[in-house]
Amino acid sequence: MARAFLVVMDSVGIGGAPDAAAYFNGGIPDTGANTVGNIAQHCARGLASIGREGPLKVPNLDRLGLGRAVHLASGALAPGLGREPAGVWGAATETSTGKDTPSGHWELAGLPVPWAWHHFTQTTDSFPPEVIQRVCDLAQTDGILGNCHAPGTEIVAKFGQEHMRTGKPICYTSADSVFQIAAHEDSFGLQRLLDLCADLAPFLHRMKVGRVIARPFTGSAGIGFQRTGNRRDFAIAPPGPVLTNWVQDAGRRIYAVGKIGDIFSMQGIDKVFKGSDRELMLHLQSLLATAEEGSLTFANFVEFDSLYGHRRDVSGYASALEWFDVCLGRLLARLLPSDMLIITADHGNDPTWHGTDHTRERVPVLIAGKGVGQLGHIGFRDVAALVAQHLDVPVPEMLYTQADPKQ
């Protein structure tokens, strides 16, 4: 019986979203953002040479069709990419009105977001009094720190010492529909932080805030603060069945690698594997050897986005793509003849672009194990259908009501 491996390279977009002009970064529309294409251009021009050098080297992704997908999505030619594909390739377009993690993943799993997310749009004094009061009541503090849009590492560096002195949680947000709370694992307590976020989440979910994220850190002002791997996302549950439910309802096993379990509020998930991207890759390699026939492994590699995209680190992002490509070679060598591996993404986060937020882009769909061919332009939802069909799992009829992704 066939197995499926669906791998999301978080934020690895390929430009060309037809509605990019309606999405902004630093006041500039996302037209022209192209995560893979622009990184490849910077590498070719010698502008991504910190810790690496030369053109972008991703031969395994390119052999699956990455270069062709970039050109299909955006019309751009990515320097160094463009090999004759040895897999099935295409470009997927999102219909949900967002460029965030839940929107992308839910739609990849067959369920476009049926509502508009709530965003905290003010960059300072971002949260209304009732939200601040709810946090204070739950945390039993007389205030919060932050209350603004900010990158996580910067806000912890700014408020970490005051947080340790006062015990007030550091609360911040971004252009995404998120409410993030940073707290010190020792002075505030890791479990206390997780409980705070879990208790706050239902209140914010009723406002259609997509995620409450616990951002624990350690260290001190003297030696510096470091975020830990104990992040936890408390996400709104999908309002209907998704790919993981379809497969599980058919009696199959579902393995979640990375933050997939959090994104789907554990709907249709049998077992979760967490860790850094390098640890997650080891889990994925192990699952290629051990996952049962008929199973689905759904993985997310977040560090392209969290460590390099938001920080506008072009060299770091290029290095991460090259690391993933080396690992992909090992994954491909372990595929069984009946396996299917899909590599895709949930949105863009072009490190060469304006601002520090996600970018509205199409994403690649690269498939190993299904021969050679071109998908053309498809919708995010079609990815779920491809997986379900490979596993011989019924696909809900509503999946085929989406708009033409080429429009």
Side-chain angles (χ1 to χ4, degrees):
M1 188 182 294
R3 303 183 303 174
F5 299 85
L6 176 55
V7 178
V8 178
M9 300 174 66
D10 202 300
S11 84
V12 182
I14 53 176
D19 57 357
Y23 294 81
F24 292 83
N25 244 305
I28 307 297
D30 283 343
T31 50
N34 185 334
T35 301
V36 173
N38 287 340
I39 289 173
Q41 290 282 356
H42 275 59
C43 290
R45 298 202 302 265
L47 301 177
S49 300
I50 300 173
R52 62 165 306 282
E53 62 182 15
L56 183 64
K57 304 174 187 69
V58 288
N60 292 304
L61 286 165
D62 199 26
R63 275 192 287 269
L64 289 180
L66 180 59
R68 296 292 183 89
V70 171
H71 186 254
L72 174 67
S74 63
L77 294 173
L81 281 68
R83 290 173 171 82
E84 187 68 27
V88 177
W89 59 276
T93 304
E94 185 174 11
T95 61
S96 300
T97 55
K99 50 176 181 175
D100 53 80
T101 293
S103 297
H105 282 77
W106 287 12
E107 192 164 335
L108 288 169
L111 184 67
V113 178
W115 54 64
W117 296 109
H118 179 88
H119 296 84
F120 300 107
T121 57
Q122 295 180 194
T123 56
T124 59
D125 296 322
S126 300
F127 307 124
E130 60 270 21
V131 171
I132 296 172
Q133 189 59 54
R134 180 59 65 99
V135 176
C136 292
D137 290 346
L138 293 171
Q140 297 185 323
T141 60
D142 60 1
I144 66 171
L145 302 173
N147 191 14
C148 61
H149 285 225
T153 51
E154 292 181 12
I155 202 165
V156 167
K158 181 176 181 180
F159 290 108
Q161 185 172 11
E162 185 178 357
H163 160 74
M164 294 182 71
R165 179 177 60 82
T166 65
K168 296 178 181 179
I170 303 170
C171 301
Y172 62 106
T173 187
S174 70
D176 288 348
S177 180
V178 296
F179 189 96
Q180 304 189 74
I181 305 180
H184 198 281
E185 286 196 356
D186 298 322
S187 66
F188 190 88
L190 175 59
Q191 191 58 52
R192 183 184 173 199
L193 171 62
L194 297 177
D195 290 343
L196 169 60
C197 292
D199 293 340
L200 178 64
F203 174 79
L204 291 176
H205 290 168
R206 287 192 291 273
M207 295 172 59
K208 293 299 184 284
V209 175
R211 288 177 293 162
V212 177
I213 305 178
R215 292 285 198 175
F217 63 93
T218 58
S220 66
I223 65 172
F225 296 108
Q226 303 84 35
R227 295 200 296 192
T228 75
N230 292 318
R231 163 182 169 161
R232 177 80 187 277
D233 292 37
F234 297 86
I236 270 185
V242 292
L243 174 64
T244 52
N245 299 115
W246 312 343
V247 176
Q248 192 180 63
D249 290 348
R252 316 290 182 78
R253 294 277 289 177
I254 312 294
Y255 298 101
V257 178
K259 62 180 184 177
I260 295 297
D262 291 341
I263 293 168
F264 292 100
S265 299
M266 292 303 294
Q267 288 198 31
I269 306 295
D270 290 302
K271 189 170 183 180
V272 173
F273 299 87
K274 292 277 194 123
S276 68
D277 275 10
R278 279 160 174 74
E279 292 167 331
L280 297 179
M281 185 59 73
L282 294 176
H283 289 307
L284 182 55
Q285 291 174 0
S286 177
L287 284 164
L288 277 162
T290 61
E292 298 94 336
E293 292 184 350
S295 63
L296 167 63
T297 297
F298 197 166
N300 171 282
F301 289 86
V302 72
E303 292 176 4
F304 302 104
D305 184 60
S306 62
L307 297 186
Y308 309 113
H310 288 299
R311 300 180 190 183
R312 296 303 187 247
D313 179 354
V314 183
S315 296
Y317 207 128
S319 294
L321 287 170
E322 291 169 340
W323 164 81
F324 183 90
D325 191 79
V326 171
C327 296
L328 175 59
R330 302 188 190 111
L331 299 179
L332 294 172
R334 299 183 185 198
L335 286 178
L336 300 177
S338 60
D339 288 342
M340 178 175 71
L341 170 67
I342 298 183
I343 307 293
T344 187
D346 53 344
H347 50 71
N349 197 345
D350 186 345
T352 75
W353 202 242
H354 310 272
T356 60
D357 297 321
H358 296 154
T359 43
R360 179 74 166 183
E361 302 179 42
R362 287 179 164 128
V363 301
V365 181
L366 313 176
I367 306 177
K370 302 296 285 187
V372 178
Q374 180 177 345
L375 291 168
H377 285 284
I378 66 172
F380 274 37
R381 266 192 287 193
D382 293 315
V383 173
L386 290 167
V387 173
Q389 289 162 0
H390 177 74
L391 294 176
D392 196 23
V393 168
V395 178
E397 188 173 335
M398 54 74 64
L399 194 70
Y400 296 106
T401 62
Q402 71 188 88
D404 183 351
K406 297 183 288 300
Q407 293 180 349

